[in-house]
Amino acid sequence: MAQGRLPTRVMVVRPGEEDGPAVQEAGAVLRAGGLVAFPTETVYGLGAGALDEQAVAGIFKAKGRPADNPLIVHIDSAARLGRYFRQVPERARVLAAHFWPGPLTLVLRDDNRFPAIVSGGLGTVAVRVPDHPVALALIRAAGVPVAAPSANVSGRPSPTTAAHVLDDLDGCIDLVLDGGPAGLGVESTVLDLSGEQPVILRPGGVTPRQLEALLGPVKLDPAVNGASKEEKPRSPGMKYIHYAPRAPVVLFESDDSAHMAKRILAEAESLAARGQRVGILTCRDNELKYQGQGYVVIATGRRDDPGAIAAALYESLRCFDRQPVDIILAEGVPAEGLGLAVMNRLLRASGGNVVKI
Ligand code: TXA
Ligand code: MG
């Protein structure tokens, strides 16, 4: 497939048009070994036919993704699990029945049905059924499982719109299906079911509480809250600086939102005095406190509404790239519900540069 030179084609898919010619054509591009970005309920994915080693290699090339960071395989229904995994653990079936289609990725033992490049030779494969009509129609049109990471250049914030995908990958991939903004705004929860005890490798759209209601106690991988650099994370994606805008990010953590705002203002003043152009990522509640002082202020959602914060997070981080800022001071949010995923992404975006108050 032609990659690299021509601008990427964009095809809009409106609600109700999922079975139309655009998705059929995208399926044909995947069957021919091409790369198609598509909307899911979490973020946009960059898909290739999961059984096609060369096409999957194209994903790594387009994103500049390290080869040891494995991909999620997207299937169109839980009923397909048996086709690609010889032994599907009972708890995987229970979770799939409950959460699929939806933002939960299950890491299962690899039965060598996918080329090694998909799983980075880890001995496990990550799989999920996305809850988006365009994604599901695309997988069906392709007729094969679709391997897809988030459709951003490696290390950058994940894309929640077709425009974000083009910002990063225009000319490097064949096609983008534009199905409007992704709803959730943070990626799926990655749950490792390959060992004795289920372990959350990446917090996401399904919360620990939701999982525990079905599974009992679930462990959180130490890398989620920023393990030491030496520790080898079980989810290779967790070791890289990630989700980052171009300017460095400092993350502030506190239970007391008003107190945190004061600290951020003091820090912003001292940075500005040294000639730094300061960006501030804030919850709506504190927005006014930062305004009118020459800072670039971008607000997500209300502090007590982690869903709204998650939905706005990546667009907000990308917004700073369009503004003249040298450094971004980011408010932390309570790590509850979807807030856990938000804090995990902000921690990665900051590269561990955290001020605990
Ligand atoms: O919501 C999502 O999950 C989106 C949409 C497109 O489905 N996809 C996504 O993919 O976020 P990606 O590649 O950006 O993140 C996948 C994460 C990475 O942290 C990767 O290391 C981990 O899942 N992962 C994939 N396969 C794994 C495996 N076999 N074992 C452990 N971790 C795995
Ligand atoms: Mg990603």
Side-chain angles (χ1 to χ4, degrees), residues 38 40 42-46 63 65 69-72 74 105 107 118-119 122 124-126 128 130 148-152 158 186-188 190 192 201-202 234-238 242-243:
F38 60 96
T40 80
T42 58
V43 299
Y44 272 68
L46 176 59
K63 283 185 56 109
R65 184 175 176 104
N69 192 4
L71 307 179
I72 296 171
H74 296 69
T105 293
V107 173
V118 170
S119 54
L122 282 178
T124 54
V125 172
R128 85 177 188 102
S150 49
N152 49 283
S158 296
V186 289
E187 300 84 344
S188 61
V190 178
D192 188 352
L201 301 182
R202 177 180 72 180
R234 283 164 74 179
S235 181
M238 301 303 264
H242 206 338
Y243 315 108

Side-chain angles (χ1 to χ4, degrees), residues 227-252:
S228 74
K229 298 254 174 353
E230 282 73 51
E231 197 158 343
K232 189 173 182 246
R234 283 164 74 179
S235 181
M238 301 303 264
K239 77 182 170 203
Y240 301 107
I241 200 173
H242 206 338
Y243 315 108
R246 295 188 210 288
V249 174
V250 183
L251 174 60
F252 289 73

Side-chain angles (χ1 to χ4, degrees), residues 30-355:
L30 289 181
R31 280 199 301 280
L35 301 182
V36 176
F38 60 96
T40 80
E41 82 282 29
T42 58
V43 299
Y44 272 68
L46 176 59
L51 303 175
D52 181 339
E53 184 174 355
Q54 231 182 319
V56 175
I59 291 180
F60 285 85
K61 187 161 172 241
K63 283 185 56 109
R65 184 175 176 104
D68 68 350
N69 192 4
L71 307 179
I72 296 171
V73 172
H74 296 69
I75 55 177
D76 68 343
S77 86
R80 292 251 192 269
L81 272 180
R83 189 150 164 196
Y84 297 101
F85 300 89
R86 223 175 319 145
Q87 287 174 339
V88 180
E90 179 54 23
R91 54 190 178 199
R93 291 192 193 283
V94 170
L95 291 167
H98 200 270
F99 291 108
W100 285 356
L104 177 66
T105 293
L106 301 178
V107 173
L108 304 175
R109 291 206 187 135
D110 187 6
D111 278 322
N112 299 317
R113 308 286 167 94
F114 300 99
I117 186 170
V118 170
S119 54
L122 282 178
T124 54
V125 172
V127 61
R128 85 177 188 102
V129 178
D131 187 14
H132 195 291
V134 175
L136 292 172
L138 177 66
I139 298 164
R140 285 177 193 137
V144 286
V146 174
S150 49
N152 49 283
V153 161
S154 204
R156 300 258 304 134
S158 296
T160 53
T161 65
H164 293 167
V165 176
L166 292 173
D167 282 345
D168 279 17
L169 296 172
D170 193 11
C172 304
I173 62 176
D174 297 289
L175 181 63
V176 182
L177 292 177
D178 181 353
L184 255 174
V186 289
E187 300 84 344
S188 61
T189 300
V190 178
L191 182 71
D192 188 352
L193 293 180
S194 68
E196 278 292 299
Q197 219 198 327
V199 183
I200 295 174
L201 301 182
R202 177 180 72 180
V206 170
T207 64
R209 194 172 294 177
Q210 286 176 294
L211 292 173
E212 288 186 335
L214 285 181
L215 292 179
V218 174
K219 263 183 67 180
L220 205 56
D221 191 80
V224 167
N225 293 317
S228 74
K229 298 254 174 353
E230 282 73 51
E231 197 158 343
K232 189 173 182 246
R234 283 164 74 179
S235 181
M238 301 303 264
K239 77 182 170 203
Y240 301 107
I241 200 173
H242 206 338
Y243 315 108
R246 295 188 210 288
V249 174
V250 183
L251 174 60
F252 289 73
E253 253 186 64
S254 173
D255 294 337
D256 180 341
S257 160
H259 185 53
M260 177 168 58
K262 274 194 196 137
R263 263 304 286 279
I264 289 177
L265 272 173
E267 187 65 27
E269 231 174 85
S270 112
L271 286 162
R274 282 179 268 144
Q276 297 268 297
R277 295 165 302 180
V278 177
I280 298 177
L281 179 69
T282 174
C283 297
R284 283 243 168 280
D285 326 40
N286 282 336
E287 187 178 5
L288 289 177
K289 296 182 183 163
Y290 303 119
Q291 268 169 354
Q293 296 158 81
Y295 309 132
V296 173
V297 181
I298 295 175
T300 54
R302 288 185 48 88
R303 192 171 161 86
D304 62 2
D305 186 358
I309 295 171
L313 181 67
Y314 292 137
E315 164 62 21
S316 303
L317 289 175
R318 281 175 178 265
C319 232
F320 285 112
D321 292 342
R322 303 191 283 270
Q323 311 268 357
V325 296
D326 299 310
I327 185 160
I328 299 164
L329 309 180
E331 284 188 355
V333 302
E336 293 293 319
L338 277 180
L340 182 65
V342 170
M343 280 306 275
N344 169 262
R345 306 313 188 262
L346 286 173
L347 187 63
R348 300 271 155 247
S350 74
N353 195 355
V354 180
V355 178

